[in-house]
Amino acid sequence: MNAPVPDSLFLPPEKKAWFLHDRFGMFIHWGLYSLAARHEWVKSREEISNVDYQKYFDHFDPDLYDAREWARRAKAAGMKYVVLTAKHHEGFCLWDSKVTDYKATNTPGGRDLVAEYVAAFRAEGLKIGFYYSLIDWHHPDFKADIFHPERNRDPDAFNKGRDVTRYAAYMRDQVRELLTGYGKIDVIWFDFSYPDRPYNGLAGKGREDWQSEELLRLVRELQPDIIVNNRLDLINATGELPDVTTPEQYVPQSWPVIHGEKATWEGCHTFSGSWGYYRDEESWKSPEQLVQILVDAVALGGNLLMNVGPTARGTFDHRAIAALDVYGEWLRLHGRAIYGAGASDYVAPKDCRLTQRGNRLYVHVFNWPFAHLHIPGLGGKVAYAQLLHDASEVRWIDPHAPVDSNVGVRIAADTLTLELPVKKPNVTVPVIELFL
Ligand code: H79
């Protein structure tokens, strides 16, 4: 039974203000799976034993890792915060953890990658986050379950003597290291709970296993202002989840509502079909899709955490760099439709999304129409309109004048009919800025 935890364990809304303002962050998935280069779940998907996975540890040597370059690229892409996989499901730690040997400092790489990351991104002015996997396919007290690489061999023998309470204590030790060793941390992203996923007699895992409430208490004690995502399998008395809800590779149809309240939410997405570097994967999103995913989030009151999967040498590959450049170029011209902006109460016209910041309304045109854009509900409400990328005036048709006296076409008085150039402007997603 899911007993509610006190409201005091969740962040009050005013402490989320920076997060809601900033809207756009970088997710980074980096670990031993980057060497396999075929999905960060490779150990589970291919049911690889610890012995067979060891080759990636033995060969982990990110000699080209330059956190300052990553940070520069994130900033140039318009990202305002960053979340790095300090430990993913494989259990490998990117920092010099005192409670395990399974860490970057013991590989040929030999560096505390987290320390360099924090220093570099902080120096570029980004807010700092850690992803910490609740799942751990390497820890000696973590039992086999539906996702575990050992699930189909002899899980009962494998689970014998394993004590999940020791694993929960290990997680607290590690989270303490991460939240005390690197200064102020702005986000912690736990991943993930699945109490309702039994498999062949193996139980799922949730708050009882992770000791989620204790873990959250520790996080709050160490970093009172930190934003925690919603994957600890906890609720408060009103049934709301802490602090931000995190749809994964999914664009919601409407603003996600939890118990009648519009939720703080952050979509997370990938450039291609994997979080970890996947050499041969081909489904890289188009520039239009990349920008549209961001606009879709903000138009529904949410954030976007967009993922890069660096290579095992520590570089962003050319496809990732191209995708980041798409954001940088678009946000340089359209940033004021995103930062500090959010959902609008006005209804978006066909093939468009609306964002609003005070009395500025932004019409993001996903499918450029021919010559006219009709916006019901805005007739008589707009003082000035321009294309955002070049500040060129956009005029509209006077609703009181007949458009064509022969056929008697008239514009409804409450509709704003903008006169657009016939050719779509040369930007990924054009935006019209309306001054209300
Ligand atoms: O860290 C990233 C993912 O590895 C992790 N969360 C993001 C942020 C995550 N991936 N999937 N899930 C969480 C939910 C589980 C999905 C599954 Fe599957 C579907 C597990 C087994 C089938 C996807 C496909 C993963 C393996 C095969």
Side-chain angles (χ1 to χ4, degrees), residues 1-22:
M1 119 119 216
N2 198 346
V5 301
D7 283 341
S8 58
L9 282 178
F10 303 129
L11 207 60
E14 65 272 14
K15 291 195 175 180
K16 297 186 200 174
W18 72 264
F19 184 77
L20 293 175
H21 174 275
D22 284 358

Side-chain angles (χ1 to χ4, degrees), residues 73-297:
R73 289 202 184 276
K75 187 174 184 177
M79 291 150 160
K80 305 292 188 188
Y81 61 102
V82 59
V83 179
L84 168 73
T85 52
K87 181 194 88 169
H88 201 262
H89 308 336
E90 65 184 4
F92 177 68
C93 299
L94 298 187
W95 80 102
D96 190 17
S97 175
K98 301 292 173 276
V99 293
T100 183
D101 293 330
Y102 203 52
K103 57 183 176 180
T105 42
N106 287 346
T107 65
R111 296 146 73 182
D112 183 329
L113 307 169
V114 168
E116 294 178 36
Y117 152 82
V118 170
F121 281 81
R122 197 174 275 146
E124 288 291 345
L126 278 82
K127 294 230 166 23
I128 307 296
F130 292 137
Y131 169 108
Y132 183 83
S133 177
L134 301 165
I135 297 173
D136 193 317
W137 298 323
H138 179 268
H139 192 275
D141 282 307
F142 193 92
K143 290 189 185 177
D145 59 26
I146 184 170
F147 301 123
H148 199 281
E150 297 292 335
R151 64 189 173 275
N152 292 321
R153 281 190 275 265
D154 189 352
D156 291 332
F158 182 83
N159 287 345
K160 220 165 174 194
R162 288 177 180 253
D163 178 356
V164 71
T165 62
R166 284 197 300 246
Y167 176 63
Y170 170 81
M171 289 204 288
R172 288 194 295 276
D173 288 344
Q174 292 212 310
V175 165
R176 184 182 286 280
E177 290 178 349
L178 288 170
L179 299 188
T180 55
Y182 301 95
K184 185 172 193 301
I185 302 302
D186 304 290
V187 174
I188 189 155
W189 219 102
F190 291 111
D191 202 21
F192 62 89
S193 302
Y194 43 101
D196 304 324
R197 297 289 298 271
Y199 175 76
N200 275 349
L202 304 169
K205 290 189 179 68
R207 82 195 79 84
E208 308 282 335
D209 306 283
W210 321 131
Q211 300 184 358
S212 292
E213 184 170 344
E214 237 178 304
L215 189 56
L216 183 57
R217 278 181 196 283
L218 177 70
V219 169
R220 289 286 180 241
E221 177 199 316
L222 300 175
Q223 296 276 349
D225 295 342
I226 200 169
I227 290 179
V228 186
N229 74 332
N230 68 328
R231 297 189 177 193
L232 282 167
D233 187 31
L234 293 174
I235 57 167
N236 71 7
T238 59
E240 286 180 44
L241 303 148
D243 292 321
V244 51
T245 196
T246 53
E248 183 164 326
Q249 292 188 308
Y250 178 74
V251 175
Q253 188 188 4
S254 53
W255 192 327
V257 168
I258 297 172
H259 288 263
E261 296 271 337
K262 285 176 173 164
T264 302
W265 72 278
E266 174 195 69
C268 51
H269 288 267
T270 52
F271 287 153
S272 72
S274 172
W275 300 85
Y277 177 65
Y278 196 143
R279 185 190 57 206
D280 301 336
E281 217 274 336
E282 300 280 8
S283 64
W284 289 69
K285 293 173 179 66
S286 69
E288 287 75 18
Q289 287 174 319
L290 294 172
V291 173
Q292 287 178 9
I293 287 169
L294 174 60
V295 172
D296 267 320

